[in-house]
Amino acid sequence: MLCARACLRAWGPAGAARPLLTPRALPLTARCAPLVRPLLTTPRAAPLHSQMRQLLKRGTFTLMRYTSANSAPQKTSKAVGYWLLSCSGMVFVAVILGGVTRLTESGLSMVTWKLLGERLPKTEEQWQEEFEKYQQYPEYKLKNKEMTLSEFKWIWWMEYGHRMWGRCIGAVVLLPAIFFWARGYLNKGMKVRTLAYCTLVGAQGLMGWYMVKSGLEDRFQGPSDVPRVSQYRLAAHLSLAFILYSVLLAGALKVFRAPPMNAAYNFTLSKVPELKSMTILAHTAKTMVFLTAVSGAFVAGLDAGLVYNSFPKMADRWIPDDILAMAPTLKNFTENPTTVQFDHRILGTLTLTAISALWIISRKKTLPPQARLAVNALGTMAWLQVALGISTLLMYVPTHLAASHQSGSLILLSLAVWLTHEMKLLRLVPK
């Protein structure tokens, strides 16, 4: 009864609302409710029955509303964060599958494209029909005339797996996005980012088919030509994948590594002179990792990794004779295999230098454990990535090493995104 009277004093006579029932008073109501409810069924509680019923009804409602307003966004953020992290993981796998598909020269085995997926051959007649479609295009006519049906099935399954995985990514991005949007799980900023995610996924799928079409066109003139997709479209396809992966990962980091909440609930970026050099180098390293990966797409598109398989010199020369053999000069940077490989070497070296300098500078700074771990991991991965690249080159681009090298570039980009996020947290101060 003392609990009941305390609740009544907080709520007021006859259930009249008072300003006394603030969020601070609500825990008292919550503690009283289990003790008061049994009293409502006893005859002695009759005089208080009406007032207490209103108290419990209103008090419980107010408590639930207060609790949901503070705890629901946290749960929602975690759900959205796990969704974004899952999507970024699937994009990571898609990049690996795409690299293996390119290295095994399986990308041109499927000569049609449908939004929801191509028909899966089930009988030998259907497989033969699919093989006959492939035989009408340049890759078979100029390169694979001796291919058997069983060999064709293997490269077809490689491309089919890559495409279907891409469609799964589209579903995993789009369907939860609709659910979260409809249920109010997304704030204004996340809604804008979600629209960007969906747009990038759609653009990535269309660019994939646009890239494959370039290898199916009748633009290969003689037996010496090697049917392949356009290196420009391959670079665009890979760049979109890296951008999509980066923004998904950054979105997940915004959820799981958000700034600590306090009474202000508002933060602003503040210039910290001691962190200026590290911040600039961290963003520079992230940009250079991306540009080096894009240059790697041109290397893959032109098979430039098979031109000069020595390091650090290229055929006993620091600068080979045919580096600018094409006219006009600018054409060499995207169409001359020698120049493309040379550029990739230079970009890789500059990226390693920037990350190493970043690590050295970080040793003189006082950093929290997460930022320290990020910069150490980035520095270690940079050296491992360079070692993988050199090994791939010296061993004439074996599939397993080349796929590892491409995966390493994505891991390196992940660590750079993580570090820049940690640097941003160090510059956040309450308003």
Side-chain angles (χ1 to χ4, degrees):
M1 293 303 294
L2 290 176
C3 292
R5 295 186 187 279
C7 291
L8 283 173
R9 283 198 297 270
W11 191 259
R18 283 187 179 180
L20 293 175
L21 189 60
T22 62
R24 293 182 180 179
L26 288 174
L28 175 63
T29 306
R31 290 194 298 269
C32 292
L35 300 174
V36 172
R37 282 196 179 95
L39 298 177
L40 297 178
T41 60
T42 64
R44 292 185 295 174
L48 297 176
H49 189 282
S50 177
Q51 295 181 17
M52 290 303 299
R53 185 180 296 279
Q54 295 180 23
L55 168 67
L56 293 174
K57 181 178 180 181
R58 297 184 186 182
T60 304
F61 171 77
T62 308
L63 178 64
M64 289 175 63
R65 183 175 57 187
Y66 178 80
T67 303
S68 63
N70 289 272
S71 64
Q74 184 178 3
K75 293 180 180 178
T76 298
S77 296
K78 286 185 178 179
V80 174
Y82 285 122
W83 165 57
L84 295 177
L85 199 60
S86 300
C87 292
S88 63
M90 292 185 70
V91 174
F92 187 98
V93 174
V95 172
I96 298 175
L97 286 175
V100 174
T101 301
R102 173 71 187 88
L103 290 166
T104 56
E105 299 181 345
S106 305
L108 300 178
S109 58
M110 299 180 70
V111 297
T112 58
W113 185 85
K114 295 180 181 179
L115 179 61
L116 299 180
E118 294 77 6
R119 183 187 65 176
L120 183 64
K122 296 181 180 179
T123 64
E124 284 300 311
E125 291 76 11
Q126 291 174 346
W127 274 111
Q128 188 62 42
E129 180 183 349
E130 194 71 25
F131 189 30
E132 289 174 359
K133 291 180 184 178
Y134 173 71
Q135 292 173 351
Q136 300 173 14
Y137 289 89
E139 186 175 66
Y140 176 83
K141 293 179 179 179
L142 300 178
K143 186 178 178 181
N144 292 334
K145 284 187 176 181
E146 305 300 323
M147 177 175 283
T148 63
L149 180 60
S150 61
E151 293 171 336
F152 169 74
K153 287 182 180 181
W154 189 83
I155 63 171
W156 192 93
W157 277 114
M158 289 291 299
E159 175 65 6
Y160 180 79
H162 181 53
R163 292 193 187 188
M164 293 308 296
W165 188 256
R167 291 184 175 95
C168 288
I169 294 175
V172 171
V173 170
L174 182 60
L175 297 180
I178 295 173
F179 173 79
F180 289 138
W181 194 303
R183 297 296 297 270
Y185 281 27
L186 307 177
N187 57 31
K188 185 177 180 180
M190 185 57 73
K191 285 182 179 179
V192 174
R193 288 192 290 270
T194 300
L195 288 175
Y197 303 149
C198 296
T199 302
L200 283 171
V201 168
Q204 175 71 348
L206 293 174
M207 179 55 70
W209 171 239
Y210 185 59
M211 175 190 70
V212 170
K213 280 187 65 178
S214 65
L216 301 176
E217 296 169 353
D218 190 14
R219 60 187 178 92
F220 307 99
Q221 302 300 322
S224 60
D225 281 345
V226 179
R228 57 164 68 99
V229 300
S230 165
Q231 68 270 26
Y232 299 102
R233 300 185 192 183
L234 175 62
H237 187 53
L238 185 66
S239 300
L240 280 174
F242 272 58
I243 293 172
L244 177 60
Y245 174 78
S246 299
V247 296
L248 287 169
L249 181 61
L253 288 173
K254 287 179 182 292
V255 174
F256 292 115
R257 292 287 296 160
M261 301 299 289
N262 67 1
Y265 287 94
N266 277 314
F267 290 83
T268 183
L269 279 173
S270 176
K271 292 183 179 179
V272 182
E274 293 79 6
L275 297 176
K276 182 178 179 180
S277 57
M278 268 200 70
T279 303
I280 293 174
L281 266 178
H283 286 281
T284 301
K286 181 173 66 173
T287 303
M288 293 190 67
V289 169
F290 177 80
L291 292 177
T292 306
V294 174
S295 74
F298 282 95
V299 172
L302 292 172
D303 291 328
L306 300 174
V307 178
Y308 288 94
N309 297 94
S310 58
F311 190 88
K313 293 183 178 181
M314 301 174 71
D316 297 327
R317 290 179 176 269
W318 290 107
I319 301 177
D321 295 333
D322 56 341
I323 192 169
L324 297 176
M326 301 178 70
T329 303
L330 289 177
K331 197 174 182 180
N332 288 276
F333 294 95
T334 54
E335 298 185 17
N336 184 342
T338 300
T339 310
V340 167
Q341 189 194 121
F342 182 81
D343 291 344
H344 189 60
R345 292 185 181 209
I346 296 299
L347 282 171
T349 303
L350 292 176
T351 302
L352 178 64
T353 303
I355 294 175
S356 298
L358 173 64
W359 183 84
I360 293 172
I361 291 175
S362 72
R363 305 302 298 173
K364 303 176 183 179
K365 307 294 182 182
T366 302
L367 300 175
Q370 291 288 342
R372 177 70 64 192
L373 178 61
V375 72
N376 287 340
L378 181 65
T380 303
M381 188 63 211
W383 283 94
L384 178 60
Q385 174 68 353
V386 170
L388 278 172
I390 295 173
S391 301
T392 302
L393 182 71
L394 296 179
M395 298 181 69
Y396 292 87
V397 197
T399 299
H400 64 286
L401 276 181
S404 300
H405 184 54
Q406 181 168 311
S407 304
S409 66
L410 205 53
I411 295 174
L412 196 62
L413 182 61
S414 306
L415 295 172
V417 170
W418 178 27
L419 178 60
T420 53
H421 181 78
E422 294 296 330
M423 296 301 299
K424 183 178 180 180
L425 289 180
L426 294 177
R427 297 170 56 214
L428 287 176
V429 296
K431 286 184 178 179

